[in-house]
PDB file of all heavy atoms in Angstrom:
ATOM      1  N   ASN G 149     132.171  63.028 127.564  1.00  0.00           N
ATOM      2  CA  ASN G 149     130.972  62.144 127.410  1.00  0.00           C
ATOM      3  C   ASN G 149     129.717  63.004 126.837  1.00  0.00           C
ATOM      4  O   ASN G 149     128.687  62.470 126.800  1.00  0.00           O
ATOM      5  CB  ASN G 149     130.647  61.507 128.711  1.00  0.00           C
ATOM      6  CG  ASN G 149     131.556  60.492 129.040  1.00  0.00           C
ATOM      7  OD1 ASN G 149     132.048  59.687 128.205  1.00  0.00           O
ATOM      8  ND2 ASN G 149     131.984  60.407 130.315  1.00  0.00           N
ATOM      9  N   PHE G 150     129.942  64.339 126.906  1.00  0.00           N
ATOM     10  CA  PHE G 150     128.886  65.209 126.496  1.00  0.00           C
ATOM     11  C   PHE G 150     128.625  65.347 124.982  1.00  0.00           C
ATOM     12  O   PHE G 150     129.748  65.519 124.318  1.00  0.00           O
ATOM     13  CB  PHE G 150     129.125  66.656 127.113  1.00  0.00           C
ATOM     14  CG  PHE G 150     128.151  67.696 126.550  1.00  0.00           C
ATOM     15  CD1 PHE G 150     126.795  67.644 126.856  1.00  0.00           C
ATOM     16  CD2 PHE G 150     128.550  68.822 125.651  1.00  0.00           C
ATOM     17  CE1 PHE G 150     125.902  68.607 126.452  1.00  0.00           C
ATOM     18  CE2 PHE G 150     127.655  69.682 125.248  1.00  0.00           C
ATOM     19  CZ  PHE G 150     126.423  69.669 125.622  1.00  0.00           C
ATOM     20  N   ASP G 151     127.526  65.181 124.477  1.00  0.00           N
ATOM     21  CA  ASP G 151     127.146  65.251 122.986  1.00  0.00           C
ATOM     22  C   ASP G 151     126.188  66.402 122.869  1.00  0.00           C
ATOM     23  O   ASP G 151     125.020  66.202 123.123  1.00  0.00           O
ATOM     24  CB  ASP G 151     126.675  63.899 122.491  1.00  0.00           C
ATOM     25  CG  ASP G 151     126.443  63.865 120.982  1.00  0.00           C
ATOM     26  OD1 ASP G 151     126.566  64.977 120.406  1.00  0.00           O
ATOM     27  OD2 ASP G 151     125.985  62.776 120.597  1.00  0.00           O
ATOM     28  N   PRO G 152     126.580  67.547 122.310  1.00  0.00           N
ATOM     29  CA  PRO G 152     125.734  68.654 122.100  1.00  0.00           C
ATOM     30  C   PRO G 152     124.550  68.341 121.096  1.00  0.00           C
ATOM     31  O   PRO G 152     123.503  68.921 121.147  1.00  0.00           O
ATOM     32  CB  PRO G 152     126.536  69.777 121.748  1.00  0.00           C
ATOM     33  CG  PRO G 152     127.808  69.201 121.143  1.00  0.00           C
ATOM     34  CD  PRO G 152     128.023  67.985 121.948  1.00  0.00           C
ATOM     35  N   SER G 153     124.857  67.430 120.181  1.00  0.00           N
ATOM     36  CA  SER G 153     123.831  67.121 119.091  1.00  0.00           C
ATOM     37  C   SER G 153     122.534  66.540 119.751  1.00  0.00           C
ATOM     38  O   SER G 153     121.539  66.467 119.054  1.00  0.00           O
ATOM     39  CB  SER G 153     124.444  66.230 118.122  1.00  0.00           C
ATOM     40  OG  SER G 153     124.669  64.905 118.661  1.00  0.00           O
ATOM     41  N   LYS G 154     122.707  65.953 121.029  1.00  0.00           N
ATOM     42  CA  LYS G 154     121.576  65.274 121.664  1.00  0.00           C
ATOM     43  C   LYS G 154     120.715  66.292 122.481  1.00  0.00           C
ATOM     44  O   LYS G 154     119.601  65.868 123.068  1.00  0.00           O
ATOM     45  CB  LYS G 154     121.976  64.134 122.588  1.00  0.00           C
ATOM     46  CG  LYS G 154     122.734  63.009 121.711  1.00  0.00           C
ATOM     47  CD  LYS G 154     123.212  61.997 122.603  1.00  0.00           C
ATOM     48  CE  LYS G 154     123.802  60.840 121.796  1.00  0.00           C
ATOM     49  NZ  LYS G 154     124.352  59.783 122.699  1.00  0.00           N
ATOM     50  N   LEU G 155     121.052  67.508 122.516  1.00  0.00           N
ATOM     51  CA  LEU G 155     120.304  68.534 123.395  1.00  0.00           C
ATOM     52  C   LEU G 155     118.895  68.693 122.740  1.00  0.00           C
ATOM     53  O   LEU G 155     117.830  68.909 123.539  1.00  0.00           O
ATOM     54  CB  LEU G 155     121.045  69.928 123.486  1.00  0.00           C
ATOM     55  CG  LEU G 155     122.308  69.819 124.184  1.00  0.00           C
ATOM     56  CD1 LEU G 155     122.975  71.214 124.015  1.00  0.00           C
ATOM     57  CD2 LEU G 155     122.014  69.627 125.723  1.00  0.00           C
ATOM     58  N   ASN G 156     118.710  68.539 121.566  1.00  0.00           N
ATOM     59  CA  ASN G 156     117.413  68.802 120.832  1.00  0.00           C
ATOM     60  C   ASN G 156     116.708  67.536 120.424  1.00  0.00           C
ATOM     61  O   ASN G 156     115.853  67.572 119.690  1.00  0.00           O
ATOM     62  CB  ASN G 156     117.531  69.762 119.684  1.00  0.00           C
ATOM     63  CG  ASN G 156     117.971  71.064 120.087  1.00  0.00           C
ATOM     64  OD1 ASN G 156     117.555  71.694 121.120  1.00  0.00           O
ATOM     65  ND2 ASN G 156     118.984  71.781 119.338  1.00  0.00           N
ATOM     66  N   ALA G 157     117.081  66.416 121.044  1.00  0.00           N
ATOM     67  CA  ALA G 157     116.486  65.153 120.686  1.00  0.00           C
ATOM     68  C   ALA G 157     114.989  65.026 121.044  1.00  0.00           C
ATOM     69  O   ALA G 157     114.677  65.739 122.052  1.00  0.00           O
ATOM     70  CB  ALA G 157     117.320  63.949 121.401  1.00  0.00           C
ATOM     71  N   ARG G 158     114.240  64.485 120.249  1.00  0.00           N
ATOM     72  CA  ARG G 158     112.881  64.310 120.498  1.00  0.00           C
ATOM     73  C   ARG G 158     112.519  62.909 120.812  1.00  0.00           C
ATOM     74  O   ARG G 158     113.272  61.927 120.362  1.00  0.00           O
ATOM     75  CB  ARG G 158     112.076  64.814 119.278  1.00  0.00           C
ATOM     76  CG  ARG G 158     112.274  66.231 119.005  1.00  0.00           C
ATOM     77  CD  ARG G 158     111.444  66.593 117.674  1.00  0.00           C
ATOM     78  NE  ARG G 158     109.989  66.469 117.762  1.00  0.00           N
ATOM     79  CZ  ARG G 158     109.341  67.489 118.056  1.00  0.00           C
ATOM     80  NH1 ARG G 158     109.691  68.671 118.376  1.00  0.00           N
ATOM     81  NH2 ARG G 158     107.871  67.435 118.174  1.00  0.00           N
ATOM     82  N   PRO G 159     111.415  62.588 121.540  1.00  0.00           N
ATOM     83  CA  PRO G 159     111.000  61.200 121.863  1.00  0.00           C
ATOM     84  C   PRO G 159     110.805  60.345 120.482  1.00  0.00           C
ATOM     85  O   PRO G 159     110.372  60.952 119.575  1.00  0.00           O
ATOM     86  CB  PRO G 159     109.600  61.329 122.587  1.00  0.00           C
ATOM     87  CG  PRO G 159     109.664  62.684 123.058  1.00  0.00           C
ATOM     88  CD  PRO G 159     110.448  63.521 122.146  1.00  0.00           C
ATOM     89  N   SER G 160     111.265  59.103 120.522  1.00  0.00           N
ATOM     90  CA  SER G 160     111.034  58.274 119.462  1.00  0.00           C
ATOM     91  C   SER G 160     109.486  58.005 119.216  1.00  0.00           C
ATOM     92  O   SER G 160     108.738  57.924 120.198  1.00  0.00           O
ATOM     93  CB  SER G 160     111.706  56.892 119.648  1.00  0.00           C
ATOM     94  OG  SER G 160     113.146  57.108 119.905  1.00  0.00           O
ATOM     95  N   ARG G 161     109.173  58.075 118.024  1.00  0.00           N
ATOM     96  CA  ARG G 161     107.713  57.755 117.624  1.00  0.00           C
ATOM     97  C   ARG G 161     107.429  56.315 117.316  1.00  0.00           C
ATOM     98  O   ARG G 161     108.215  55.578 116.872  1.00  0.00           O
ATOM     99  CB  ARG G 161     107.413  58.489 116.394  1.00  0.00           C
ATOM    100  CG  ARG G 161     107.706  60.014 116.582  1.00  0.00           C
ATOM    101  CD  ARG G 161     106.918  60.898 115.568  1.00  0.00           C
ATOM    102  NE  ARG G 161     107.339  62.329 115.536  1.00  0.00           N
ATOM    103  CZ  ARG G 161     106.757  63.118 116.371  1.00  0.00           C
ATOM    104  NH1 ARG G 161     105.794  62.639 117.176  1.00  0.00           N
ATOM    105  NH2 ARG G 161     107.184  64.435 116.414  1.00  0.00           N
ATOM    106  N   ARG G 162     106.242  55.909 117.796  1.00  0.00           N
ATOM    107  CA  ARG G 162     105.754  54.565 117.616  1.00  0.00           C
ATOM    108  C   ARG G 162     105.507  54.369 116.249  1.00  0.00           C
ATOM    109  O   ARG G 162     105.064  55.415 115.524  1.00  0.00           O
ATOM    110  CB  ARG G 162     104.526  54.383 118.378  1.00  0.00           C
ATOM    111  CG  ARG G 162     104.673  54.313 119.876  1.00  0.00           C
ATOM    112  CD  ARG G 162     103.407  53.857 120.562  1.00  0.00           C
ATOM    113  NE  ARG G 162     102.265  54.726 120.286  1.00  0.00           N
ATOM    114  CZ  ARG G 162     101.953  55.881 120.944  1.00  0.00           C
ATOM    115  NH1 ARG G 162     102.808  56.184 121.885  1.00  0.00           N
ATOM    116  NH2 ARG G 162     100.958  56.613 120.634  1.00  0.00           N
ATOM    117  N   ALA G 163     105.610  53.237 115.613  1.00  0.00           N
ATOM    118  CA  ALA G 163     105.344  53.027 114.214  1.00  0.00           C
ATOM    119  C   ALA G 163     103.888  53.119 114.123  1.00  0.00           C
ATOM    120  O   ALA G 163     103.058  52.745 114.955  1.00  0.00           O
ATOM    121  CB  ALA G 163     105.787  51.626 113.869  1.00  0.00           C
ATOM    122  N   SER G 164     103.405  53.795 113.079  1.00  0.00           N
ATOM    123  CA  SER G 164     101.897  54.027 112.849  1.00  0.00           C
ATOM    124  C   SER G 164     101.673  53.889 111.331  1.00  0.00           C
ATOM    125  O   SER G 164     102.497  53.787 110.442  1.00  0.00           O
ATOM    126  CB  SER G 164     101.415  55.354 113.344  1.00  0.00           C
ATOM    127  OG  SER G 164     102.204  56.434 112.648  1.00  0.00           O
TER     128      SER G 164
END
Side-chain angles (χ1 to χ4, degrees):
N149 291 317
F150 172 66
D151 183 353
S153 69
K154 296 179 180 179
L155 290 174
N156 295 318
R158 297 174 66 92
S160 300
R161 301 192 184 280
R162 296 186 299 274
S164 59

